[in-house]
Coordinates of all heavy atoms in Angstrom, one line a residue:
R1 N 0.8 -1.2 0.0 CA 0.0 0.0 0.0 C 0.9 1.2 0.0 O 1.9 1.3 0.6 CB -0.9 0.0 1.2 CG -1.8 -1.2 1.3 CD -3.2 -0.7 1.2 NE -4.0 -1.8 0.8 CZ -5.3 -1.8 1.0 NH1 -5.9 -0.8 1.6 NH2 -6.0 -2.8 0.6
W2 N 0.3 2.3 -0.5 CA 1.0 3.6 -0.6 C 0.3 4.6 0.2 O -0.8 5.0 -0.1 CB 1.0 4.1 -2.1 CG 1.8 3.2 -3.0 CD1 1.3 2.1 -3.7 CD2 3.1 3.3 -3.4 NE1 2.2 1.5 -4.5 CE2 3.4 2.2 -4.3 CE3 4.1 4.2 -3.1 CZ2 4.6 2.0 -4.9 CZ3 5.3 4.0 -3.7 CH2 5.6 2.9 -4.6
P3 N 0.9 5.1 1.3 CA 0.2 6.1 2.1 C 0.3 7.4 1.3 O 1.2 7.7 0.6 CB 1.0 6.2 3.4 CG 2.3 5.6 3.0 CD 2.1 4.6 1.9
A4 N -0.8 8.2 1.4 CA -0.8 9.5 0.7 C -1.5 10.6 1.6 O -2.5 10.3 2.2 CB -1.5 9.4 -0.6
L5 N -0.9 11.8 1.6 CA -1.6 12.9 2.1 C -2.6 13.4 1.1 O -2.2 13.6 -0.1 CB -0.6 14.0 2.5 CG 0.3 13.8 3.7 CD1 1.3 14.9 3.8 CD2 -0.5 13.7 4.9
V6 N -3.8 13.6 1.5 CA -4.8 14.2 0.5 C -5.5 15.3 1.3 O -6.0 15.1 2.3 CB -5.8 13.1 0.1 CG1 -6.9 13.7 -0.8 CG2 -5.2 11.9 -0.6
E7 N -5.3 16.5 0.7 CA -5.9 17.7 1.4 C -7.4 17.6 1.4 O -8.0 17.1 0.4 CB -5.5 18.9 0.6 CG -5.9 20.2 1.4 CD -5.4 21.5 0.7 OE1 -4.8 21.4 -0.4 OE2 -5.5 22.5 1.3
D8 N -8.0 17.9 2.5 CA -9.5 17.9 2.6 C -9.9 19.1 3.4 O -9.2 19.6 4.3 CB -9.9 16.6 3.4 CG -11.4 16.4 3.4 OD1 -12.0 16.3 2.4 OD2 -11.9 16.4 4.5
D9 N -11.1 19.7 3.0 CA -11.6 20.9 3.7 C -11.8 20.6 5.2 O -11.6 21.6 6.0 CB -12.9 21.3 3.1 CG -12.7 21.8 1.6 OD1 -11.5 22.2 1.3 OD2 -13.6 21.7 0.8
D10 N -12.1 19.4 5.6 CA -12.3 19.1 7.0 C -11.1 18.3 7.6 O -11.3 17.6 8.5 CB -13.6 18.2 7.1 CG -14.8 19.0 6.7 OD1 -14.9 20.2 7.0 OD2 -15.7 18.3 6.1
G11 N -9.9 18.5 7.0 CA -8.7 17.8 7.4 C -8.2 18.2 8.8 O -8.7 19.1 9.4
V12 N -7.3 17.3 9.3 CA -6.7 17.5 10.6 C -5.2 17.5 10.4 O -4.7 17.0 9.4 CB -7.2 16.4 11.5 CG1 -8.7 16.4 11.8 CG2 -6.7 15.0 11.0
E13 N -4.5 17.9 11.5 CA -3.0 17.8 11.5 C -2.7 16.3 11.5 O -3.3 15.5 12.2 CB -2.4 18.4 12.7 CG -2.3 19.9 12.6 CD -1.4 20.5 13.7 OE1 -0.8 19.8 14.5 OE2 -1.4 21.7 13.8
I14 N -1.7 15.9 10.7 CA -1.2 14.6 10.6 C 0.3 14.5 10.9 O 1.1 15.3 10.5 CB -1.4 14.0 9.2 CG1 -2.9 13.9 8.9 CG2 -0.7 12.7 9.0 CD1 -3.6 12.8 9.7
A15 N 0.7 13.6 11.8 CA 2.1 13.4 12.0 C 2.8 12.8 10.8 O 2.2 12.0 10.1 CB 2.3 12.4 13.2
G16 N 4.0 13.3 10.5 CA 4.7 12.8 9.3 C 6.2 12.6 9.6 O 6.6 12.8 10.8
E17 N 6.9 12.3 8.6 CA 8.3 12.0 8.8 C 9.0 12.9 7.7 O 8.5 13.0 6.6 CB 8.7 10.6 8.6 CG 8.0 9.7 9.6 CD 8.1 8.2 9.2 OE1 8.6 7.9 8.1 OE2 7.7 7.4 10.0
L18 N 10.2 13.5 8.0 CA 10.9 14.3 7.1 C 12.2 13.5 6.7 O 12.9 12.9 7.5 CB 11.3 15.6 7.7 CG 10.2 16.6 8.0 CD1 10.8 17.8 8.7 CD2 9.5 17.0 6.7
Y19 N 12.5 13.5 5.4 CA 13.7 12.9 4.9 C 14.4 13.8 3.9 O 13.7 14.5 3.2 CB 13.3 11.6 4.1 CG 12.7 10.5 4.9 CD1 11.3 10.4 5.0 CD2 13.4 9.6 5.6 CE1 10.7 9.5 5.8 CE2 12.8 8.6 6.4 CZ 11.5 8.6 6.5 OH 10.9 7.6 7.2
E20 N 15.7 13.8 3.9 CA 16.5 14.5 2.9 C 16.8 13.5 1.8 O 17.4 12.5 2.1 CB 17.7 15.1 3.5 CG 17.5 16.4 4.3 CD 18.7 17.1 4.6 OE1 19.7 17.1 3.8 OE2 18.8 17.6 5.8
I21 N 16.3 13.7 0.6 CA 16.5 12.8 -0.4 C 17.1 13.5 -1.7 O 16.6 14.5 -2.1 CB 15.1 12.2 -0.8 CG1 14.5 11.5 0.4 CG2 15.2 11.2 -2.0 CD1 13.1 11.0 0.2
P22 N 18.1 12.9 -2.2 CA 18.7 13.5 -3.4 C 17.7 13.6 -4.6 O 16.8 12.8 -4.7 CB 19.9 12.5 -3.8 CG 20.1 11.7 -2.5 CD 18.8 11.7 -1.8
S23 N 17.9 14.6 -5.4 CA 17.0 14.9 -6.5 C 16.8 13.7 -7.4 O 15.7 13.4 -7.9 CB 17.5 16.1 -7.3 OG 17.5 17.3 -6.5
A24 N 17.9 13.0 -7.7 CA 17.9 11.8 -8.6 C 16.9 10.8 -8.0 O 16.2 10.1 -8.7 CB 19.2 11.3 -8.8
H25 N 17.0 10.6 -6.7 CA 16.1 9.6 -6.1 C 14.6 10.0 -6.1 O 13.7 9.2 -6.4 CB 16.6 9.3 -4.7 CG 15.9 8.1 -4.0 ND1 16.1 6.8 -4.4 CD2 14.9 8.1 -3.1 CE1 15.3 6.0 -3.7 NE2 14.6 6.8 -2.9
L26 N 14.4 11.3 -5.9 CA 13.0 11.9 -6.0 C 12.5 11.6 -7.4 O 11.3 11.3 -7.6 CB 13.0 13.4 -5.7 CG 13.1 13.7 -4.2 CD1 13.2 15.2 -4.0 CD2 11.9 13.1 -3.4
A27 N 13.3 11.8 -8.4 CA 12.9 11.6 -9.8 C 12.5 10.1 -10.0 O 11.5 9.8 -10.6 CB 14.0 12.0 -10.8
R28 N 13.3 9.2 -9.4 CA 12.9 7.7 -9.5 C 11.6 7.5 -8.8 O 10.8 6.7 -9.2 CB 14.1 6.9 -8.9 CG 15.2 6.8 -9.9 CD 16.2 5.7 -9.4 NE 16.8 5.9 -8.1 CZ 17.9 6.7 -7.9 NH1 18.5 7.3 -8.8 NH2 18.3 6.8 -6.6
L29 N 11.4 8.1 -7.6 CA 10.2 7.9 -6.8 C 9.0 8.4 -7.6 O 7.9 7.7 -7.7 CB 10.2 8.6 -5.5 CG 11.1 7.9 -4.4 CD1 11.1 8.9 -3.2 CD2 10.5 6.6 -4.0
A30 N 9.1 9.5 -8.2 CA 8.0 10.1 -9.0 C 7.7 9.1 -10.2 O 6.5 9.1 -10.6 CB 8.4 11.4 -9.6
H31 N 8.6 8.4 -10.7 CA 8.4 7.5 -11.8 C 7.6 6.2 -11.3 O 6.8 5.7 -12.1 CB 9.7 7.0 -12.4 CG 9.5 6.1 -13.6 ND1 9.0 6.5 -14.8 CD2 9.8 4.8 -13.7 CE1 8.9 5.5 -15.6 NE2 9.4 4.5 -15.0
V32 N 7.8 5.8 -10.1 CA 7.2 4.5 -9.6 C 5.9 4.8 -8.8 O 5.2 3.8 -8.5 CB 8.1 3.6 -8.8 CG1 9.3 3.2 -9.7 CG2 8.6 4.3 -7.5
E33 N 5.6 6.0 -8.4 CA 4.5 6.3 -7.6 C 3.2 6.0 -8.4 O 3.2 6.2 -9.6 CB 4.4 7.7 -7.1 CG 5.6 8.1 -6.2 CD 5.5 7.4 -4.8 OE1 4.5 6.7 -4.5 OE2 6.4 7.6 -4.0
P34 N 2.1 5.6 -7.7 CA 0.9 5.3 -8.5 C 0.3 6.6 -9.1 O 0.6 7.7 -8.6 CB 0.0 4.7 -7.4 CG 0.5 5.1 -6.1 CD 2.0 5.4 -6.3
P35 N -0.6 6.4 -10.0 CA -1.3 7.6 -10.6 C -2.0 8.3 -9.5 O -2.6 7.8 -8.6 CB -2.3 6.9 -11.6 CG -1.8 5.6 -11.9 CD -1.0 5.2 -10.7
G36 N -2.1 9.7 -9.7 CA -2.7 10.5 -8.7 C -1.8 11.1 -7.7 O -2.2 12.0 -6.9
W37 N -0.5 10.7 -7.7 CA 0.5 11.3 -6.8 C 1.2 12.4 -7.5 O 1.5 12.3 -8.7 CB 1.5 10.2 -6.4 CG 1.0 9.3 -5.3 CD1 -0.1 8.6 -5.3 CD2 1.7 9.1 -4.1 NE1 -0.2 7.9 -4.1 CE2 0.9 8.2 -3.4 CE3 2.9 9.6 -3.5 CZ2 1.3 7.8 -2.1 CZ3 3.2 9.2 -2.3 CH2 2.4 8.2 -1.6
H38 N 1.6 13.4 -6.8 CA 2.4 14.5 -7.3 C 3.2 15.2 -6.2 O 2.8 15.0 -5.0 CB 1.6 15.5 -8.1 CG 0.5 16.1 -7.2 ND1 -0.7 15.5 -7.0 CD2 0.4 17.3 -6.6 CE1 -1.5 16.3 -6.2 NE2 -0.8 17.4 -6.0
R39 N 4.2 15.9 -6.5 CA 5.0 16.7 -5.5 C 4.3 18.0 -5.3 O 3.9 18.7 -6.3 CB 6.4 16.8 -5.9 CG 7.2 15.5 -5.8 CD 8.5 15.5 -6.4 NE 9.4 16.5 -5.8 CZ 10.6 16.7 -6.2 NH1 11.1 16.1 -7.3 NH2 11.3 17.7 -5.7
S40 N 4.2 18.4 -4.1 CA 3.6 19.7 -3.8 C 4.1 20.2 -2.5 O 4.5 19.5 -1.6 CB 2.1 19.5 -3.7 OG 1.4 20.6 -3.4
P41 N 4.1 21.5 -2.3 CA 4.5 22.1 -1.0 C 3.4 21.8 0.1 O 2.2 21.8 -0.2 CB 4.6 23.6 -1.2 CG 3.9 23.9 -2.5 CD 3.8 22.6 -3.2
V42 N 3.9 21.5 1.3 CA 3.1 21.2 2.5 C 3.6 22.1 3.6 O 4.8 22.1 3.9 CB 3.1 19.7 2.8 CG1 2.4 19.4 4.1 CG2 2.6 18.8 1.7
E43 N 2.6 22.7 4.3 CA 3.0 23.5 5.5 C 3.0 22.7 6.7 O 2.0 22.0 7.0 CB 2.1 24.7 5.6 CG 2.5 25.6 6.8 CD 1.6 26.9 6.9 OE1 0.8 27.2 6.0 OE2 1.7 27.5 8.0
L44 N 4.1 22.8 7.5 CA 4.3 22.0 8.7 C 3.7 22.8 9.9 O 3.6 24.1 9.8 CB 5.7 21.7 9.0 CG 6.4 20.9 7.8 CD1 7.9 20.6 8.2 CD2 5.7 19.6 7.6
A45 N 3.5 22.2 11.0 CA 2.9 22.9 12.2 C 3.8 24.0 12.7 O 3.3 25.0 13.2 CB 2.7 21.8 13.3
D46 N 5.1 23.9 12.4 CA 6.1 24.9 12.9 C 6.2 26.1 11.9 O 7.0 27.0 12.1 CB 7.4 24.3 13.2 CG 8.2 23.8 12.0 OD1 7.7 23.9 10.9 OD2 9.2 23.2 12.2
G47 N 5.4 26.0 10.8 CA 5.4 27.1 9.9 C 6.3 26.9 8.7 O 6.2 27.6 7.7
R48 N 7.2 25.9 8.7 CA 8.0 25.6 7.6 C 7.2 25.0 6.4 O 6.2 24.4 6.7 CB 9.1 24.6 7.9 CG 10.2 25.2 8.8 CD 11.3 24.2 9.1 NE 10.7 23.1 9.9 CZ 11.2 21.8 10.0 NH1 12.3 21.5 9.3 NH2 10.6 20.9 10.7
T49 N 7.6 25.3 5.2 CA 7.0 24.6 4.0 C 8.0 23.7 3.4 O 9.2 24.1 3.2 CB 6.6 25.7 3.0 OG1 5.7 26.6 3.6 CG2 6.0 25.0 1.8
V50 N 7.6 22.4 3.2 CA 8.5 21.4 2.6 C 7.8 20.8 1.4 O 6.6 20.9 1.3 CB 8.9 20.3 3.6 CG1 9.6 20.9 4.8 CG2 7.6 19.6 4.1
E51 N 8.6 20.2 0.6 CA 8.0 19.5 -0.6 C 7.7 18.1 -0.2 O 8.4 17.4 0.5 CB 9.0 19.5 -1.7 CG 8.5 18.9 -3.0 CD 8.4 19.9 -4.1 OE1 8.3 21.1 -3.9 OE2 8.4 19.4 -5.2
A52 N 6.5 17.6 -0.6 CA 6.0 16.3 -0.2 C 5.3 15.6 -1.4 O 4.9 16.3 -2.3 CB 5.1 16.4 0.9
F53 N 5.2 14.3 -1.4 CA 4.4 13.6 -2.4 C 3.0 13.6 -1.7 O 2.8 13.2 -0.6 CB 4.8 12.2 -2.6 CG 6.0 12.1 -3.6 CD1 7.3 11.9 -3.1 CD2 5.7 12.2 -4.9 CE1 8.3 11.8 -4.0 CE2 6.8 12.0 -5.8 CZ 8.0 11.9 -5.4
V54 N 2.0 14.1 -2.5 CA 0.6 14.2 -2.0 C -0.3 13.5 -3.1 O 0.1 13.4 -4.2 CB 0.1 15.6 -1.7 CG1 1.0 16.2 -0.6 CG2 0.2 16.5 -2.9
G55 N -1.4 13.1 -2.6 CA -2.4 12.5 -3.6 C -3.5 13.4 -3.9 O -3.8 14.3 -3.1
D56 N -4.0 13.3 -5.1 CA -5.1 14.1 -5.5 C -6.4 13.6 -4.9 O -6.4 12.5 -4.4 CB -5.2 14.3 -7.0 CG -5.5 13.0 -7.8 OD1 -6.2 12.2 -7.3 OD2 -5.0 12.9 -8.9
R57 N -7.4 14.4 -4.9 CA -8.7 14.0 -4.2 C -9.3 12.7 -4.7 O -10.0 12.0 -4.0 CB -9.7 15.1 -4.2 CG -9.3 16.3 -3.3 CD -10.3 17.4 -3.4 NE -9.9 18.5 -2.6 CZ -10.4 18.9 -1.5 NH1 -11.5 18.3 -1.1 NH2 -10.0 20.0 -0.9
S58 N -9.0 12.3 -5.9 CA -9.6 11.1 -6.4 C -9.1 9.8 -5.7 O -9.7 8.8 -5.6 CB -9.2 10.9 -7.9 OG -7.8 10.7 -8.1
M59 N -7.9 10.0 -5.0 CA -7.4 8.9 -4.2 C -8.2 8.6 -3.0 O -8.2 7.5 -2.4 CB -5.9 9.1 -3.8 CG -5.0 9.2 -5.0 SD -3.3 9.5 -4.5 CE -2.8 7.8 -4.3
M60 N -9.0 9.5 -2.5 CA -9.8 9.3 -1.3 C -10.8 8.2 -1.5 O -11.1 7.5 -0.5 CB -10.5 10.6 -0.9 CG -9.5 11.7 -0.4 SD -10.3 13.3 -0.2 CE -11.5 13.0 1.1
A61 N -11.3 8.0 -2.7 CA -12.3 7.0 -3.0 C -11.7 5.6 -2.9 O -12.5 4.7 -2.6 CB -12.9 7.2 -4.4
R62 N -10.4 5.5 -3.1 CA -9.9 4.1 -3.0 C -8.9 3.9 -1.9 O -8.2 2.9 -1.8 CB -9.2 3.8 -4.4 CG -8.0 4.7 -4.7 CD -7.4 4.3 -6.0 NE -6.1 4.8 -6.2 CZ -5.7 5.8 -7.0 NH1 -6.7 6.5 -7.7 NH2 -4.5 6.2 -7.1
G63 N -9.0 4.8 -0.9 CA -8.1 4.6 0.3 C -8.8 4.5 1.6 O -10.0 4.4 1.7
V64 N -8.0 4.5 2.6 CA -8.5 4.4 4.0 C -8.1 5.7 4.7 O -6.9 6.1 4.7 CB -7.9 3.2 4.8 CG1 -8.3 3.2 6.2 CG2 -8.3 1.9 4.1
D65 N -9.0 6.4 5.3 CA -8.7 7.6 6.0 C -8.2 7.3 7.4 O -8.8 6.7 8.2 CB -10.0 8.5 6.2 CG -9.8 9.8 6.8 OD1 -8.6 10.1 7.3 OD2 -10.7 10.6 6.9
V66 N -6.9 7.6 7.6 CA -6.2 7.3 8.9 C -6.1 8.5 9.8 O -5.4 8.5 10.8 CB -4.8 6.7 8.7 CG1 -4.9 5.4 7.8 CG2 -3.9 7.7 8.0
S67 N -6.9 9.6 9.5 CA -6.8 10.8 10.2 C -7.1 10.6 11.7 O -6.4 11.2 12.6 CB -7.8 11.8 9.7 OG -7.5 12.1 8.4
S68 N -8.0 9.8 12.1 CA -8.4 9.6 13.5 C -7.2 8.9 14.3 O -7.2 9.0 15.5 CB -9.6 8.7 13.6 OG -9.4 7.4 13.1
H69 N -6.2 8.3 13.6 CA -5.1 7.8 14.2 C -4.0 8.8 14.4 O -3.0 8.5 15.1 CB -4.5 6.6 13.4 CG -5.5 5.5 13.3 ND1 -5.6 4.5 14.2 CD2 -6.5 5.2 12.4 CE1 -6.6 3.6 13.9 NE2 -7.1 4.1 12.8
G70 N -4.0 9.9 13.7 CA -3.0 10.9 13.8 C -1.9 10.8 12.8 O -1.0 11.7 12.7
G71 N -1.9 9.7 12.0 CA -0.8 9.6 11.0 C -0.7 8.1 10.6 O -1.3 7.2 11.2
W72 N 0.1 7.9 9.5 CA 0.2 6.6 8.9 C 0.9 5.7 9.9 O 0.5 4.5 10.1 CB 1.0 6.7 7.6 CG 1.3 5.4 7.0 CD1 2.5 4.8 6.9 CD2 0.3 4.6 6.3 NE1 2.4 3.6 6.2 CE2 1.0 3.4 5.9 CE3 -1.0 4.6 6.1 CZ2 0.4 2.4 5.2 CZ3 -1.6 3.6 5.4 CH2 -0.9 2.5 5.0
A73 N 2.0 6.1 10.6 CA 2.7 5.2 11.5 C 1.8 4.7 12.6 O 1.9 3.6 13.0 CB 4.0 5.9 12.0
A74 N 1.0 5.6 13.2 CA 0.1 5.2 14.3 C -0.9 4.3 13.8 O -1.3 3.3 14.5 CB -0.5 6.5 14.9
Y75 N -1.4 4.5 12.6 CA -2.4 3.6 12.0 C -1.8 2.2 11.8 O -2.4 1.2 12.2 CB -2.9 4.2 10.6 CG -3.6 3.2 9.8 CD1 -5.0 2.9 10.1 CD2 -3.1 2.5 8.7 CE1 -5.7 1.9 9.4 CE2 -3.8 1.6 8.0 CZ -5.1 1.3 8.3 OH -5.8 0.4 7.5
R76 N -0.6 2.2 11.2 CA 0.1 0.9 11.0 C 0.4 0.2 12.3 O 0.2 -1.0 12.4 CB 1.4 1.1 10.2 CG 1.2 1.5 8.8 CD 0.4 0.4 7.9 NE 1.2 -0.8 8.0 CZ 0.6 -2.1 8.0 NH1 -0.7 -2.2 8.0 NH2 1.4 -3.1 8.1
A77 N 0.8 0.9 13.3 CA 1.1 0.3 14.6 C -0.2 -0.3 15.2 O -0.1 -1.4 15.7 CB 1.6 1.4 15.6
G78 N -1.3 0.3 15.1 CA -2.6 -0.3 15.5 C -3.0 -1.4 14.7 O -3.6 -2.4 15.2
A79 N -2.7 -1.4 13.4 CA -3.1 -2.4 12.5 C -2.3 -3.7 12.7 O -2.8 -4.8 12.4 CB -3.0 -2.0 11.0
D80 N -1.1 -3.6 13.2 CA -0.3 -4.7 13.4 C -0.6 -5.5 14.7 O -0.1 -6.6 14.9 CB 1.2 -4.3 13.5 CG 1.7 -3.8 12.1 OD1 1.1 -4.2 11.1 OD2 2.7 -3.1 12.1
R81 N -1.4 -4.8 15.6 CA -1.7 -5.5 16.8 C -3.0 -6.4 16.6 O -3.9 -6.0 15.9 CB -2.1 -4.5 17.9 CG -0.8 -3.7 18.5 CD -1.2 -3.0 19.7 NE -2.3 -2.0 19.4 CZ -2.2 -0.7 19.2 NH1 -1.0 -0.2 19.3 NH2 -3.2 0.0 19.0
P82 N -3.0 -7.5 17.2 CA -4.2 -8.3 17.1 C -5.4 -7.6 17.9 O -5.1 -6.9 18.8 CB -3.9 -9.7 17.8 CG -2.7 -9.4 18.6 CD -2.0 -8.2 18.0
P83 N -6.6 -7.8 17.4 CA -7.7 -7.2 18.1 C -7.8 -7.7 19.5 O -7.5 -8.8 19.8 CB -9.0 -7.6 17.3 CG -8.5 -8.5 16.2 CD -7.0 -8.6 16.3
S84 N -8.2 -6.8 20.4 CA -8.3 -7.2 21.8 C -9.6 -8.0 22.0 O -10.6 -7.8 21.3 CB -8.3 -6.0 22.8 OG -9.4 -5.2 22.4
S85 N -9.5 -9.0 22.8 CA -10.7 -9.8 23.1 C -11.6 -9.1 24.1 O -11.0 -8.4 25.0 CB -10.3 -11.2 23.5 OG -9.5 -11.2 24.7
P86 N -12.9 -9.3 24.1 CA -13.7 -8.7 25.1 C -13.4 -9.2 26.5 O -13.0 -10.4 26.7 CB -15.1 -9.2 24.7 CG -15.0 -9.9 23.4 CD -13.6 -10.2 23.1
S87 N -13.5 -8.3 27.4 CA -13.2 -8.7 28.8 C -14.3 -9.6 29.4 O -15.5 -9.4 29.0 CB -12.9 -7.5 29.7 OG -14.1 -6.7 29.7
R88 N -14.0 -10.5 30.2 CA -15.0 -11.3 30.8 C -15.1 -11.0 32.3 O -14.1 -10.7 33.0 CB -14.6 -12.8 30.7 CG -14.5 -13.2 29.2 CD -14.0 -14.6 29.2 NE -13.6 -14.9 27.8 CZ -14.2 -15.7 27.0 NH1 -15.3 -16.4 27.4 NH2 -13.8 -15.9 25.8
S89 N -16.3 -11.0 32.8 CA -16.6 -10.7 34.2 C -16.6 -11.9 35.0 O -17.0 -12.9 34.7 CB -17.8 -9.9 34.4 OG -18.2 -9.1 33.4

């Protein structure tokens, strides 16, 4: 699966990860990313603007909204845990 930031009018802050990546590698990533992805500036909570791969709104129809988890890493961490069993009295 490919996680993607997709801007939404009712969106929330999402935790992310920053990487310094050489331009040549970014060009390779752009070539293998699925349709609907593009590079775009994203404003961080501290006011900085960085370049990121983001998805266009059409990706929302075929994805899972992980906003309630706070980010992709938190969503994956929860998805890797087995469901808790109901408590017994």
Side-chain angles (χ1 to χ4, degrees):
R1 301 244 161 159
W2 298 86
L5 288 174
V6 177
E7 188 174 8
D8 186 61
D9 295 334
D10 297 324
V12 297
E13 280 191 11
I14 293 290
E17 300 169 351
L18 294 176
Y19 298 93
E20 285 191 35
I21 301 175
S23 296
H25 189 71
L26 283 174
R28 284 191 300 276
L29 284 174
H31 182 70
V32 300
E33 297 290 357
W37 278 58
H38 58 279
R39 288 172 59 184
S40 179
V42 173
E43 185 177 345
L44 303 179
D46 66 6
R48 289 181 294 160
T49 299
V50 298
E51 183 112 338
F53 279 101
V54 297
D56 63 36
R57 288 181 184 249
S58 69
M59 295 183 87
M60 291 171 62
R62 64 181 196 255
V64 174
D65 184 353
V66 302
S67 300
S68 64
H69 297 273
W72 179 250
Y75 168 76
R76 290 296 303 143
D80 291 339
R81 288 191 304 258
S84 59
S85 57
S87 60
R88 299 178 193 244
S89 329

